Amino acid sequence: MTAQLFAGAAEPATDRTVIGENLSLPLFRTLSGVLAGHPYLKVVVDRVENTWHLLDTAAHPFHVNYIATRVLGMELAQLDADLDAFNASVYMNPARRFLLGVLSLHTNEDTEGRERTFLVLETTEADTMSGELLEFFYGFVRERVDGRLPVLLKPANHGQEEELAAISELRVPRILSHELFGSRVRTPLNPGEATGRLRFFRTHEQYAAVESELGWADIVAMPCLPDDVPRVAGFLNTAPITPLSHTNVLASGWGIPNAIVRDLDELVEKGDLDGAWVRYRVSEAEISLERLESEPDLRAPAWHQQRIRLEPPLLEDAPVLSLHRLRAADSDRYGTKAANLGELHHVLDSRTADLTAFYGRPRPPRDDLYGHLASRLGLKEPSLAELRSRAADFVASTVGAPEGVALPFSLQQHFLASSPALQQGIGKLKMALELDATDVLDSLCLQLQQLIRHTPVPESVTRQISQAFPTAPASRGRLVVRSSSNAEDLPGFSAAGVYDSVTTVHGTGQLLDAVRQVWASLVSPRSVRLRHQVGISLDDTYMGVIIQEYVPASLGGVLVTCDPTRRADFRNVYLNCSPGSPEQVVDGSVLPQQYLYNVVEGGGRTVALGSWGDGLPAATRARLADLSLTGRLLQSHFSDTDVDRPLDIEWLMTERGDFRLVQIRPYAL
């Protein structure tokens, strides 16, 4: 049995593009393809000839190729040689001849519960159509579509939304992106394929009762998976989450499929899928579950035998240092997070790093994207040196790095060595790991955590921590204490959300408690199990600590310098945010607002409003566009040799309107 949630369209043998015909539903289905579960059809309106072209989707994947070769008689090589200028002529020229768009087919229920089919017309995200052009485009298409089919215009970006605001909805009926997709029944989150046993839990209590039994061959389905879910074969959510949730970051890092399927309950009941062996696929165009007739002959996945080796940590005495004094190479003494924040300080202060490398990579048929970057930065035909200088200045003027200090691994080592009880607890845990005694592992971890939290900190360690700040303890105000281990943000092991942070710390007593809590998170049952699965030795694992001054935030969130659901898209940066602290986005306590920003051609669009009824003001969205471009520029420096490797950045906007980046790390793909 197959429970096919999405299905792709078969490719026709010949080109069935039509010109000038009115559009009926049968003709639409003949020409359309399928994207993200919705049939869609490419449309080209020729204002000079006063006609339109309905493209056979399988034969013509790109509007501009069709216009150039089939309408204007150009050769593809000629188009490729001047592609950006051609794109500008059809997407940005106010007097353009051609209007390009897509018609997609959707269904919903009317007020009486009856299914309603309707078409949505939209342009590309980089299109800068004025309100007048949008109204003309909509009217031209509306007149040529079967009158029984409602047609709504969906503005493709914030600029189009603002242009349409002055036009009556009676003249141009419309639907916004978050209105169309905010209640989607099925949404891909992380692409992948898995064969395993489907374990469906309707409540967290059902999940908790068998959590310890879950293993690498299970596909876990429930309303919202907990952040501490063990490593399994796949995830399925029946309630909304975002691509930047902790569980999806884990799915990305582990390379397993993840999707939202709101009607999974019905599918499971209909197909008797709970506990069944299934083949589960997630892609941009398809989410499928296929019930297998018998238990497959599965081999343990590569990660189950994977062995990740750490660079040996340096444990000799090292000073507590201000973050701005660290560099990336200090990760072997202070941990990855602290070293990356120190490197960020260096980039912002020195302005010597080349932040343009991402744009310098060839994107065939383009030799590079330098011209697009120059346009984003307000420059006309700059030299490469001028472009690099302007990029560095732009980043330094847009964001700041947090003030704070980093505690080295050596302080944790002195603390652990100060107590025979701690040494005995560590020895027992090591022995259990060597013997693979999983039945006692959790209890040993919990006992050791309890010991760490309550063992007195040696006076020499306390003194170094207390003297790290120039001000007296009573005048420091609120502090934030974050983990900075050497066993995170590694290729094949991200550890997102695995270690603790404490965000409400006042005074020396609470500071020491918070530091011990962060140290203790290194030996939590979950962190120990995850590291043990990939061969990371407890002997090589240490925890540094970041202590930052708390900065009140008016807005905060996370961005990744890619579109997590469309990995081949090099244009967009995905950003989540909510009023107040970014922790609300990170821990999943609210559904954040979600935005996509095109950092090549420009423009942004709202994906979802989350738990908030209204979107952000236009001025704030413009600031977020600058933040997104900054993230992309920083990617050139922090991605090492692979400039296409995206970043995961936690950020906040202060009450004064300044941006601070509080964490920067690779985003696992």
Side-chain angles (χ1 to χ4, degrees), residues 188-225:
L189 293 172
N190 196 64
E193 180 176 333
T195 298
R197 183 178 54 171
L198 185 67
R199 307 294 299 273
F200 181 46
F201 307 105
R202 290 174 173 81
T203 66
H204 183 77
E205 288 72 23
Q206 291 177 351
Y207 164 84
V210 298
E211 178 185 4
S212 61
E213 304 170 11
L214 297 175
W216 58 263
D218 290 317
I219 297 169
V220 179
M222 59 189 297
C224 268
L225 285 90

Side-chain angles (χ1 to χ4, degrees), residues 202-367:
R202 290 174 173 81
T203 66
H204 183 77
E205 288 72 23
Q206 291 177 351
Y207 164 84
V210 298
E211 178 185 4
S212 61
E213 304 170 11
L214 297 175
W216 58 263
D218 290 317
I219 297 169
V220 179
M222 59 189 297
C224 268
L225 285 90
D227 285 349
D228 60 354
V229 63
R231 191 163 186 173
V232 292
F235 294 159
L236 270 163
N237 301 266
T238 61
I241 65 168
T242 86
L244 301 190
S245 65
H246 259 151
T247 50
N248 199 54
V249 171
L250 289 174
S252 178
W254 292 341
I256 63 175
N258 188 21
I260 302 168
V261 181
R262 294 193 183 188
D263 60 347
L264 185 64
D265 201 326
E266 303 166 24
L267 294 167
V268 166
E269 185 173 347
K270 180 180 178 181
D272 191 25
L273 297 177
D274 189 15
W277 292 95
V278 300
R279 185 169 290 111
Y280 171 40
R281 297 185 179 95
V282 176
S283 70
E284 181 185 350
E286 180 183 55
I287 302 171
S288 65
L289 278 173
E290 177 187 354
R291 193 182 198 280
L292 305 178
E293 296 302 326
S294 59
E295 180 177 343
D297 182 18
L298 295 179
R299 295 182 178 180
W303 66 262
H304 206 260
Q305 290 117 17
Q306 182 182 22
R307 290 298 175 260
I308 294 176
R309 293 289 179 256
L310 302 182
E311 291 296 322
L314 300 182
L315 302 177
E316 66 268 19
D317 286 346
V320 177
L321 287 181
S322 296
L323 289 174
H324 72 268
R325 295 181 60 188
L326 298 182
R327 295 293 302 274
D330 291 314
S331 60
D332 56 4
R333 291 180 176 83
Y334 296 87
T336 307
K337 287 181 188 174
N340 283 346
L341 288 177
E343 188 71 16
L344 176 63
H345 272 281
H346 169 73
V347 169
L348 299 181
D349 293 341
S350 70
R351 306 193 187 188
T352 58
D354 177 12
L355 304 181
T356 68
F358 174 89
Y359 290 87
R361 178 170 175 174
R363 311 284 172 180
R366 305 168 181 85
D367 292 334

Side-chain angles (χ1 to χ4, degrees), residues 9-257:
E11 290 192 7
T14 58
D15 181 0
R16 296 172 290 190
T17 294
V18 299
I19 303 172
E21 292 186 23
N22 286 352
L23 181 64
S24 63
L25 192 54
L27 178 58
F28 178 93
R29 294 191 184 281
T30 298
L31 300 174
S32 66
V34 175
L35 182 64
H38 298 283
Y40 77 102
L41 172 65
K42 292 183 175 67
V43 173
V44 173
V45 170
D46 187 336
R47 299 170 72 198
V48 171
E49 298 293 337
N50 195 37
T51 191
W52 70 339
H53 302 243
L54 306 176
L55 309 191
D56 183 340
T57 302
H60 300 291
F62 301 108
H63 288 88
V64 292
N65 287 17
Y66 174 83
I67 295 171
T69 61
R70 303 295 288 272
V71 181
L72 301 178
M74 298 170 59
E75 296 291 332
L76 272 180
Q78 183 183 356
L79 170 65
D80 288 348
D82 206 11
L83 181 61
D84 289 331
F86 192 90
N87 280 340
S89 74
V90 295
Y91 293 125
M92 301 171 190
N93 187 345
R96 67 191 77 171
R97 170 181 173 179
F98 300 104
L99 305 180
L100 283 56
V102 170
L103 278 167
S104 54
L105 188 66
H106 300 261
T107 59
N108 63 8
E109 291 185 353
D110 62 20
T111 55
E112 298 179 1
R114 295 172 300 195
E115 187 175 88
R116 179 183 74 139
T117 301
F118 62 100
L119 291 172
V120 171
L121 174 67
E122 64 179 306
T123 69
T124 68
E125 63 190 20
D127 199 299
T128 60
M129 277 194 200
S130 65
E132 181 181 359
L133 271 183
L134 288 167
E135 185 173 3
F136 174 86
F137 190 32
Y138 173 81
F140 192 100
V141 171
R142 172 67 276 181
E143 289 177 5
R144 290 160 178 79
V145 171
D146 187 333
R148 293 170 294 182
L149 276 174
V151 180
L152 303 176
L153 179 70
K154 181 168 80 69
N157 51 54
H158 293 141
Q160 289 187 4
E161 288 180 21
E162 292 162 15
E163 288 288 329
L164 282 173
I167 299 174
S168 168
E169 292 198 39
L170 295 176
R171 300 206 311 267
V172 183
R174 71 206 60 166
I175 188 168
L176 301 181
S177 179
H178 65 269
E179 295 171 333
L180 184 62
F181 297 117
S183 58
R184 284 172 65 174
V185 175
R186 297 156 194 143
T187 304
L189 293 172
N190 196 64
E193 180 176 333
T195 298
R197 183 178 54 171
L198 185 67
R199 307 294 299 273
F200 181 46
F201 307 105
R202 290 174 173 81
T203 66
H204 183 77
E205 288 72 23
Q206 291 177 351
Y207 164 84
V210 298
E211 178 185 4
S212 61
E213 304 170 11
L214 297 175
W216 58 263
D218 290 317
I219 297 169
V220 179
M222 59 189 297
C224 268
L225 285 90
D227 285 349
D228 60 354
V229 63
R231 191 163 186 173
V232 292
F235 294 159
L236 270 163
N237 301 266
T238 61
I241 65 168
T242 86
L244 301 190
S245 65
H246 259 151
T247 50
N248 199 54
V249 171
L250 289 174
S252 178
W254 292 341
I256 63 175

Side-chain angles (χ1 to χ4, degrees), residues 411-434:
L411 288 190
Q412 183 202 20
Q413 172 71 355
H414 283 308
F415 168 73
L416 295 175
S418 70
S419 166
L422 284 175
Q423 291 298 303
Q424 185 179 31
I426 293 170
K428 289 180 179 179
L429 180 56
K430 288 180 181 178
M431 181 64 70
L433 290 170
E434 289 173 6

Side-chain angles (χ1 to χ4, degrees), residues 402-404 469-471 476 478-480 547-551 660:
E403 299 298 328
F469 292 91
T471 56
R476 287 175 193 155
R478 179 175 167 182
L479 299 174
V480 176
I547 304 172
Q548 299 170 339
E549 296 179 1
Y550 172 76
V551 178
R660 301 280 181 88

Side-chain angles (χ1 to χ4, degrees), residues 381 404 457 638:
E381 300 183 2
V457 179
F638 282 90

Side-chain angles (χ1 to χ4, degrees), residues 458-471:
E459 194 277 333
S460 60
V461 175
T462 301
R463 184 171 60 252
Q464 290 187 66
I465 296 173
S466 298
Q467 292 177 350
F469 292 91
T471 56

